[in-house]
Amino acid sequence: MALDQNPGIAPYEAPEKELYEIGEMPPLGYVPPKMYAWAIRRDRHGEPDKSFQVEVVDTPAIDSHEVLVLVMAAGVNYNGIWAGLGIPVSPFDGHKAPYHIAGSDASGIVWAVGSAVKTWKVGDEVVIHCNQDDGDDEECNGGDPMFSPSQRIWGYETPDGSFAQFTRVQAQQLLERPRHLTWEESACYTLTLATAYRMLFGHHPHELKPGQNVLVWGASGGLGSFAIQLINTAGANAIGVISEESKRDFVMDLGAKGVINRKDFKCWGQLPKVNTPEYKEWFGEVRKFGKAIWDITGKGVNVDMVFEHPGEATFPVSTFVVKRGGMVVICAGTSGFNLTMDARYVWMHQKRIQGSHFAHLKQAAAANRLMVQRRIDPCMSEVFPWDEIPQAHLKMLRNEHKPGNMAVLVQAPRTGLRTFADVLDAGPVA
């Protein structure tokens, strides 16, 4: 049988209980009243090893258009770090719930469906994209759902993310799981891949086109690794920026046209005051950086687009090296939020500064099809067991993680499993 076919879940015996241990499987479709979760509470905001604690909590109840998913594995990204730290804002300021379960990526099995859900059934294997909205405004009906005033990110702006045995999502968040991937590979990619897809293809008229050049910051990370692959798949040219020489081969193997080590230059951080000696020194370093780009693209050929997410440390350089009429598209500020630039080079050269935030369903589904069709690799780097979810986030916070995307196991008892039958064979049924 082909790996992309779903044979369904064979019957198995399991008792009905109030609470199951991690890795134990309830009867298919049976929802226990309680579950284990890594919970964050307002009074323990801080680094992940402090803010994340295992608790027994109520299994979430679903509404008519919602789905309950048994989580097999989950992805690690900055949403969990920000939620734990309470920086730049506390998630409790938004959803007002007594505790917060982080996690904005997951693979799993549909375990219960609301009365209005028509496209999914119990037993379906899925991945989850993290955009939610109420679906009843103009942007959700003919516009861009990412502009909806009800738009929110599951697992960050909602209290019921993926670091739990069960998670509650809207039915429109579900996508087909690529069955050639393991549970953990399936869990690690949706947030970063869909974010990168919208950045590159979602902002008319600056959609990426064949033959164009894109500068990609953090090219070895989760976002960057997908940006490189998407750019290559589109017939365009990616110039990856790295911070360690050990990452060069990884980025080139993804399909980058060239790689630049940012540590060879001294032009990072906020822009010095214009027309000062410090600005002159900074400007000289930026020109050296621009020449390194030309060594890859050709003399005088500036990039059509800059794929931005570090923010404060890199933004002044991004606005300078992008071509006239080009676009700097930014989705995060992992190095800081206070962005500076020499505005003269933006207005005189008519450059576009574009904010970008995750993706709507059509974009997320298009990105996911590339994964299902095996045109994109999930670039999974490390997998952590359930007990080490805080340590995985701490590693990311300290920038000690390996290139690519990180995953954690939840109900999957070990790595390398591709089907629910594999899970039943490998782990304890209750």
Side-chain angles (χ1 to χ4, degrees):
M1 178 176 292
L3 287 175
D4 60 352
Q5 293 180 351
N6 183 8
I9 295 175
Y12 62 94
E13 295 293 328
E16 295 184 358
K17 297 166 57 175
E18 180 172 329
L19 175 68
Y20 294 81
E21 296 304 309
I22 296 297
E24 286 187 314
M25 295 298 162
L28 181 63
Y30 171 72
V31 179
K34 301 288 185 179
M35 68 175 186
Y36 286 105
W38 282 98
I40 297 167
R41 292 187 182 267
R42 186 188 286 272
D43 61 4
R44 58 173 184 256
H45 272 320
E47 293 196 348
D49 55 342
K50 171 190 173 185
S51 57
F52 286 65
Q53 291 187 21
V54 172
E55 298 186 21
V56 175
V57 299
D58 291 337
T59 304
I62 58 173
D63 205 343
S64 60
H65 289 83
E66 294 178 331
V67 171
L68 190 71
V69 175
L70 178 77
V71 180
M72 286 296 182
V76 178
N77 50 65
Y78 253 87
N79 281 354
I81 294 170
W82 286 325
L85 292 172
I87 297 173
V89 296
S90 170
F92 297 100
D93 293 341
H95 59 59
K96 311 297 184 185
Y99 58 85
H100 180 85
I101 302 169
S104 300
D105 260 325
S107 64
I109 297 173
V110 174
W111 215 251
V113 298
S115 59
V117 176
K118 306 299 182 186
T119 54
W120 302 97
K121 65 183 185 302
V122 171
D124 285 343
E125 297 181 8
V126 295
V127 295
I128 303 171
H129 80 73
C130 64
N131 182 58
Q132 291 190 356
D133 56 64
D134 291 345
D136 56 0
D137 57 60
E138 293 176 354
E139 292 294 349
C140 292
N141 294 275
D144 185 335
M146 294 306 297
F147 298 158
S148 167
S150 67
Q151 186 276 325
R152 56 195 177 270
I153 295 297
W154 159 72
Y156 183 61
E157 294 170 293
T158 77
D160 43 15
S162 58
F163 300 140
Q165 289 173 299
F166 293 93
T167 188
R168 173 179 55 198
V169 298
Q170 295 179 333
Q172 59 87 15
Q173 290 179 253
L174 302 184
L175 299 168
E176 176 188 0
R177 186 177 83 85
R179 293 182 180 85
H180 66 284
L181 300 180
T182 63
W183 290 107
E184 59 273 13
E185 288 171 330
S186 301
C188 76
Y189 70 83
T190 305
L191 183 146
T192 45
L193 176 59
T195 298
Y197 188 94
R198 180 178 174 92
M199 290 174 74
L200 295 169
F201 302 106
H203 302 290
H204 183 76
H206 287 85
E207 301 96 340
L208 182 64
K209 300 171 181 64
Q212 290 187 333
N213 298 299
V214 184
L215 183 73
V216 179
W217 295 106
S220 67
L223 275 170
S225 62
F226 285 134
I228 298 289
Q229 292 185 80
L230 288 168
I231 293 162
N232 191 46
T233 300
N237 305 306
I239 299 93
V241 184
I242 57 173
S243 58
E244 302 289 344
E245 276 302 312
S246 60
K247 300 174 180 178
R248 182 178 294 272
D249 288 346
F250 174 81
V251 175
M252 290 299 293
D253 289 345
L254 289 174
K257 185 176 181 179
V259 175
I260 300 171
N261 189 333
R262 65 176 175 84
K263 289 189 176 177
D264 294 336
F265 308 89
K266 299 177 181 178
C267 47
W268 314 122
Q270 292 188 348
L271 181 77
K273 186 174 178 59
V274 174
N275 294 334
T276 62
E278 292 78 14
Y279 178 87
K280 182 178 180 181
E281 182 180 356
W282 173 86
F283 192 75
E285 285 293 307
V286 175
R287 291 181 69 88
K288 286 170 55 181
F289 184 78
K291 183 181 182 303
I293 294 174
W294 289 0
D295 289 342
I296 299 168
T297 60
K299 186 175 181 180
V301 180
N302 292 330
V303 294
D304 299 270
M305 191 183 302
V306 178
F307 186 94
E308 250 285 358
H309 51 94
E312 188 171 311
T314 56
F315 193 77
V317 176
S318 295
T319 59
F320 180 79
V321 299
V322 72
K323 75 173 190 179
R324 291 172 182 262
M327 178 174 70
V328 177
V329 57
I330 182 168
C331 71
T334 53
S335 67
F337 308 110
N338 294 309
L339 306 186
T340 53
M341 63 182 176
D342 188 336
R344 297 172 298 177
Y345 289 95
V346 175
W347 89 65
M348 293 293 289
H349 293 174
Q350 300 176 76
K351 300 178 181 184
R352 177 179 181 179
I353 310 297
Q354 175 66 53
S356 193
H357 186 48
F358 190 61
H360 54 58
L361 172 58
K362 189 171 184 178
Q363 292 164 340
N368 193 61
R369 278 193 292 273
L370 294 174
M371 189 67 73
V372 171
Q373 295 168 0
R374 311 187 192 201
R375 296 178 181 272
I376 301 288
D377 186 275
C379 292
M380 188 185 69
S381 58
E382 298 178 84
V383 186
F384 296 82
W386 166 263
D387 291 342
E388 295 180 14
I389 284 178
Q391 285 68 38
H393 286 81
L394 195 61
K395 199 168 187 179
M396 177 174 279
L397 174 64
R398 295 173 177 172
N399 199 27
E400 296 171 349
H401 54 301
K402 296 178 182 178
N405 295 282
M406 304 162 69
V408 295
L409 300 179
V410 182
Q411 284 295 98
R414 62 173 174 81
T415 61
L417 308 178
R418 285 184 165 82
T419 66
F420 189 64
D422 290 343
V423 172
L424 294 176
D425 291 341
V429 175

